């Protein structure tokens, strides 16, 4: 039987409201995945979902009802219907679909990134500030078949609502490690003999002239300042994308798409060794 919540003072409603703040996400180990697509991806990927909040309208939608019924079958998930007015207090979107799940964060180790990967392609995000950029690049990394994503300290919060929505569910598919210091990052890659490449505007080569068929970690830097000096100094190769028109530069999410799909192109064309 579905529990109906009528008071905004309900503990689960207050929890969902609190998860809009990073401090609450960190203290509880939970984050919000809002909308049918994200809820479906979280379920399909086997992430822990302790709470689901939904409106009557969401239940009347076929996909919404399927999500709700799946979660009802999971005895560890609290599934609750709320009024439209209560949902409006917990939603973080302009056009809500009336369904959200509270999801337990996963913590990955570097072994999860390279385990059973014959030829790792690793994405490194160095201090990216815009959560929309972070989510979009993670989505691209997922599409390009990357082994995983490493994020340095100072990057946007992986579990903010905007990052999760921009990633369109890819956060549930890839091992992602947050909060790495530059030294720690370099040490991990060195231990597993994975060379570092970094995007840079100067003293760099055109991205498609580099060999991206080998195991590699490619760094994309902060929107304003680029890749940190320490990582640039440790990079085996520095890459740039030529700008032929009058635009000053590409958005970092666009640049990541260009370079990651060049790696895809090279790897698909690489002759098979029998």
């Amino acid at each position: 039987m579905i529990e109906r919540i009528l008071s905004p003072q309900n503990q689960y409603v207050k929890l969902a409201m609190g998860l809009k703040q990073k401090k609450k996400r960190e203290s509880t180990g939970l984050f919000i995945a809002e909308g049918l697509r994200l809820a479906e991806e979280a379920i399909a990927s086997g992430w822990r979902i302790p709470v689901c909040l939904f409106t009557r309208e969401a239940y009347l939608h076929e996909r919404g009802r399927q999500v709700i019924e799946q979660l009802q079958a999971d005895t560890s998930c609290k599934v609750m219907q709320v009024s439209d007015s209560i949902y409006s207090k917990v939603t973080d979107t302009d056009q809500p679909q009336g369904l959200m799940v509270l999801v337990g964060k996963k913590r990955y180790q570097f072994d999860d990134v390279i385990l059973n990967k014959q030829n790792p392609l690793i994405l490194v995000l160095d201090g990216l500030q815009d959560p929309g950029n972070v989510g979009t690049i993670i989505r691209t990394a997922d599409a390009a078949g990357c082994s995983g994503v490493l994020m340095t300290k100072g990057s946007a919060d992986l579990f903010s609502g905007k990052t999760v929505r921009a990633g369109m569910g890819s956060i549930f598919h890839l091992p992602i490690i947050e909060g790495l210091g530059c030294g720690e990052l370099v040490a991990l890659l060195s231990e597993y003999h994975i060379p570092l490449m970094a995007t840079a505007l100067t003293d760099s080569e055109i991205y498609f002239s580099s060999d991206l068929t080998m195991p590699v970690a490619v760094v994309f830097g902060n929107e304003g300042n680029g890749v940190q000096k320490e990582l640039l100094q440790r990079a085996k190769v520095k890459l740039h994308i030529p700008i032929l028109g009058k635009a000053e530069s590409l958005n970092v999410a666009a640049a990541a798409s260009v370079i990651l799909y060049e790696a895809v192109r090279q790897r698909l064309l690489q002759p098979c060794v029998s």
Side-chain angles (χ1 to χ4, degrees):
M1 185 174 179
I2 294 174
E3 182 177 349
R4 288 173 171 81
I5 303 300
L6 302 176
S7 170
Q9 297 306 310
N10 174 271
Q11 61 174 319
Y12 297 105
V13 172
K14 293 173 73 173
L15 172 60
M17 292 175 65
L19 291 177
K20 295 180 184 180
Q21 305 300 318
K22 182 177 181 180
K23 183 177 180 180
K24 189 69 170 179
R25 293 193 293 271
E26 290 180 340
S27 66
T28 61
L30 298 172
F31 67 99
I32 293 173
E34 185 172 1
L36 294 173
R37 168 72 177 275
L38 290 177
E40 289 168 343
E41 293 287 351
I43 293 169
S45 301
W47 285 48
R48 183 175 67 89
I49 302 174
V51 179
C52 171
L53 302 178
F54 68 94
T55 63
R56 180 176 181 274
E57 183 178 354
Y59 187 77
L60 294 176
H61 191 289
E62 182 179 354
R63 283 176 63 196
R65 186 165 59 254
Q66 288 176 353
V67 166
I68 292 161
E69 289 175 351
Q70 278 184 279
L71 292 173
Q72 277 185 290
D74 180 355
T75 56
S76 65
C77 181
K78 193 86 170 172
V79 182
M80 292 165 285
Q81 181 178 334
V82 298
S83 66
D84 290 344
S85 62
I86 289 178
Y87 195 86
S88 68
K89 296 180 184 297
V90 297
T91 185
D92 198 26
T93 63
D94 295 329
Q95 297 180 316
Q97 295 180 316
L99 186 145
M100 68 169 57
V101 289
L102 310 189
V103 185
K105 295 180 182 180
K106 276 191 179 181
R107 298 296 183 188
Y108 291 99
Q109 303 298 319
F110 193 65
D111 281 351
D112 297 312
V113 175
I114 62 165
L115 190 65
N116 298 323
K117 303 295 193 305
Q118 295 297 320
N119 194 23
L121 174 61
I122 299 170
L123 172 71
V124 181
L125 301 182
D126 180 31
L128 269 68
Q129 295 293 298
D130 187 290
N133 281 337
V134 171
T136 299
I137 295 172
I138 288 171
R139 183 181 179 185
T140 301
D142 183 15
C146 284
S147 311
V149 179
L150 309 178
M151 298 172 62
T152 64
K153 292 177 181 177
S155 298
D157 182 10
L158 175 62
F159 298 105
S160 74
K162 188 172 182 181
T163 307
V164 174
R165 289 193 300 275
M168 291 295 289
S170 288
I171 190 175
F172 300 119
H173 304 158
L174 284 174
I176 303 172
I177 302 175
E178 293 185 285
L180 293 169
C182 288
E184 183 181 8
L185 172 64
V186 169
L188 281 172
L189 296 173
S190 297
E191 181 181 352
Y192 290 90
H193 308 290
I194 298 173
L196 189 67
M197 293 186 179
T199 54
L201 296 177
T202 59
D203 299 322
S204 55
E205 60 186 48
I206 295 177
Y207 72 99
F208 52 72
S209 67
S210 295
D211 181 5
L212 297 169
T213 63
M214 61 182 179
V216 67
V218 185
V219 189
F220 297 89
N222 175 274
E223 292 88 344
N225 301 317
V227 176
Q228 292 182 68
K229 184 177 180 181
E230 184 176 349
L231 293 180
L232 285 175
Q233 291 174 337
R234 297 299 189 101
K236 178 180 179 181
V237 177
K238 288 180 277 188
L239 313 171
H240 75 269
I241 299 171
I243 302 296
L244 305 181
K246 294 183 179 180
E248 181 182 354
S249 63
L250 289 176
N251 169 273
V252 65
S257 297
V258 170
I259 293 176
L260 290 179
Y261 266 88
E262 172 60 16
V264 171
R265 186 193 70 82
Q266 291 185 20
R267 288 167 180 234
L268 288 176
L269 291 177
Q270 189 176 24
C272 296
V273 179
S274 57

